[in-house]
Amino acid sequence: MRDDLREAARDYGAELAFLAGGTDDLGQRVGALGRRIDRLDLHWSIDVAYRNGAVVKTLRPKHPRGHQVSPIYFTVRGHLGDADPGLAATVQRVLEFGTAEELVLPASVIQELSVHGPKWLQIDGENAEVRMTPLSPALGEGHRVELVFLDASGGARSVYEGTVRALGKGQLGRSLGLQFTGCRIRICHAEDGSVQTTVNCAIDLTGLSCGDALQALDLYGHVMEASSSACASTARRWRQAGSPGRPFPARTTSGTPGSG
């Protein structure tokens, strides 16, 4: 303990001195501060940066099980009433289905931010921006899949090979992100059927050969066709049922992706 105090006092004295050694001196002092930060906890550390007049602190686990051995909980309360509709939709996808996408909550929508974890971890939640980024690599990322579209008799109509971008789980259900040549698909499915399954399909033909571009457009067309058929089928069942209750959940693809 006494040696640690001496070292801390020596580091503090060095910080008060002029940087006579230039950038080399700066590197040594930043390194000394980083080593002291690393001693705060067995499972967590903080990376510190100085950017445009602001001190940026990034919490970092020291090993893959840091969040399990020494969990840190963030409680965020906010109001999205005046927020951009796109932000509200992103919040819904991330929280309800666990989609692997960055979520940035500006300070204007944050009403309260509290952190529960090690005693040394103290964060001022005033005027805070909350930025949530997906894990990398994401769960299931890189696994091979096949997306199969079936015809009326149950036979395979079209088969597309791709990879998993991410698997997610939220409060309502699960999400699945898939990557194909020139095409990305995101599926959000509520486990209790409380909301309709949704499929988002985006294409990017930049740099693709004619054959790959045509295949991406073909896949996009199949997804849109399957979505339209599922919604029409759902509407017919709803009219026949004649019930004032909630609508039937619609399947938005006619094929089921499976691991390759």
Side-chain angles (χ1 to χ4, degrees):
M1 176 65 72
R2 184 174 300 175
D3 291 340
D4 287 342
L5 291 175
R6 285 201 190 99
E7 185 178 347
R10 185 169 58 251
D11 292 342
Y12 177 72
E15 294 304 322
L16 296 179
F18 184 72
L19 291 175
T23 55
D24 289 341
D25 199 2
L26 177 62
Q28 292 177 4
R29 297 182 188 184
V30 172
L33 176 61
R35 288 188 293 272
R36 292 206 56 79
I37 293 174
D38 279 340
R39 296 177 187 174
L40 286 174
D41 194 272
L42 294 175
H43 312 292
W44 295 94
S45 185
I46 296 179
D47 295 329
V48 181
Y50 185 73
R51 298 173 184 167
N52 298 324
V55 177
V56 180
K57 293 170 285 188
T58 303
L59 193 62
R60 171 176 52 84
K62 289 185 175 181
H63 54 83
R65 296 185 63 248
H67 65 290
Q68 298 173 331
V69 179
S70 178
I72 295 176
Y73 300 96
F74 292 82
T75 300
V76 180
R77 292 185 176 87
H79 182 65
L80 299 175
D82 298 327
D84 180 85
L87 175 61
T90 303
V91 170
Q92 183 178 22
R93 290 193 301 269
V94 172
L95 297 184
E96 295 184 353
F97 299 101
T99 55
E101 55 186 313
E102 185 178 58
L103 172 60
V104 179
L105 299 176
S108 58
V109 305
I110 301 297
Q111 296 176 323
E112 179 186 349
L113 171 63
S114 58
V115 181
H116 308 277
K119 294 181 179 180
W120 55 266
L121 182 61
Q122 298 181 6
I123 297 179
D124 182 7
E126 187 176 357
N127 296 322
E129 175 188 90
V130 175
R131 183 181 299 268
M132 301 171 60
T133 57
L135 293 174
S136 181
L139 181 65
E141 183 177 347
H143 289 188
R144 296 178 58 188
V145 296
E146 285 186 345
L147 182 60
V148 182
F149 292 87
L150 307 179
D151 57 25
S153 62
R157 177 182 176 186
S158 298
V159 180
Y160 300 89
E161 295 184 353
T163 58
V164 173
R165 293 182 56 237
L167 297 170
K169 188 178 188 304
Q171 298 171 347
L172 277 183
R174 300 177 182 272
S175 61
L176 172 63
L178 302 174
Q179 177 69 58
F180 301 89
T181 301
C183 185
R184 285 187 174 185
I185 296 177
R186 181 181 61 228
I187 304 172
C188 296
H189 175 71
E191 294 180 336
D192 62 356
S194 57
V195 296
Q196 290 185 348
T197 297
T198 61
V199 174
N200 174 269
C201 184
I203 59 174
D204 182 3
L205 307 182
T206 305
L208 296 183
S209 65
C210 291
D212 287 341
L214 289 174
Q215 185 180 40
L217 291 172
D218 188 54
L219 172 56
Y220 180 82
H222 276 96
V223 172
M224 294 299 100
E225 179 185 357
S227 300
S228 299
S229 299
C231 290
S233 176
T234 298
R236 287 195 298 271
R237 294 198 304 270
W238 173 244
R239 288 195 298 268
Q240 292 171 359
S243 170
R246 69 188 184 198
F248 289 91
R251 289 182 58 199
T252 53
T253 59
S254 59
T256 303
S259 58

